[in-house]
């Protein structure tokens, strides 16, 4: 397991993060330092006690989407791969394989659900573009007609 951790400013400088109480921000950083190389950990209550923060700080991180809780008590740091890039020669896989597989399956399910929506969105944009082209052509023809009328009138 790596001994160095990073935190991306895109996460820690976001309004969502900065709106968190300071003790909740502190907990996030400590959880990030203790997580394994894939962003999983199961010692959250120990860290909460060690820091002396309220237990609801953990729930706030979950509610705000910074942590993904599992029924087993394991949590995953949602933005782990934004924060940390670990070299392959230093990487050590997680012991929480079931939770990782659950996240992977949820991601695949979301991709499967979004695939038809993406295709529909592309079709809608094509229709929108065709409508725009027709409107633009009609406006161009109307402008030509007005110009010819003005020429005839003068």
């Amino acid at each position: 397991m790596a001994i160095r951790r990073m935190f991306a400013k895109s996460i820690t400088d976001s309004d969502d993060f900065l709106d968190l109480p300071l003790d909740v921000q502190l907990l996030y950083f400590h959880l990030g330092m203790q997580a394994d190389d894939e962003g999983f950990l199961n010692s959250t209550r120990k860290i909460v006690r060690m820091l002396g923060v309220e237990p609801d700080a953990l729930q706030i991180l979950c509610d705000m989407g910074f942590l993904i809780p599992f029924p087993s008590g394991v949590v995953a740091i949602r933005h782990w791969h934004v924060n940390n890039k670990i070299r392959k020669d230093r990487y050590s896989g997680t012991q929480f394989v079931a939770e990782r597989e659950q996240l992977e399956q949820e991601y695949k399910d979301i991709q499967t659900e979004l695939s038809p929506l993406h295709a529909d969105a592309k079709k809608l944009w094509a229709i929108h573009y065709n409508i725009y082209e027709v409107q633009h052509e009609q406006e161009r023809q109307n402008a030509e007609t007005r110009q010819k009328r003005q020429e005839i009138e003068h």
Side-chain angles (χ1 to χ4, degrees), residues 64-130:
M64 293 298 294
F66 289 97
L67 297 179
I68 302 167
F70 293 92
S72 63
V74 172
V75 297
I77 298 173
R78 180 175 303 276
H79 306 102
W80 182 258
H81 294 288
V82 174
N83 290 332
N84 291 280
K85 304 285 187 238
I86 299 173
R87 293 182 357 203
K88 289 186 188 292
D89 64 329
R90 305 216 180 223
Y91 170 80
S92 176
T94 186
Q95 64 179 348
F96 307 109
V97 176
E99 287 82 2
R100 185 188 68 220
E101 288 173 354
Q102 181 181 344
L103 281 180
E104 289 171 350
Q105 186 58 48
E106 288 176 10
Y107 177 78
K108 288 176 187 174
D109 292 347
I110 289 170
Q111 294 303 314
T112 302
E113 290 174 18
L114 292 179
S115 184
L117 294 174
H118 180 69
D120 290 346
K122 287 174 82 173
K123 289 176 189 174
L124 289 173
W125 276 108
I127 292 168
H128 173 74
Y129 181 75
N130 289 337

Side-chain angles (χ1 to χ4, degrees), residues 5 9 16-17 23 28-30 39-40 48 59 62 64 70 77 88 100-101 115 122-123 127 138 146:
R5 297 290 184 232
K9 287 180 70 175
D16 286 342
F17 186 80
D23 61 333
Y28 178 81
F29 286 119
H30 276 271
F40 292 89
V48 165
Q59 188 60 45
C62 293
M64 293 298 294
F70 293 92
I77 298 173
K88 289 186 188 292
R100 185 188 68 220
E101 288 173 354
S115 184
K122 287 174 82 173
K123 289 176 189 174
I127 292 168
Q138 287 175 342
R146 280 193 302 271

Side-chain angles (χ1 to χ4, degrees), residues 39-55:
F40 292 89
L41 67 156
N42 70 345
S43 57
T44 55
R45 290 189 308 272
K46 176 184 87 171
I47 296 168
V48 165
R49 285 191 305 271
M50 179 183 76
L51 296 174
V53 299
E54 294 296 320

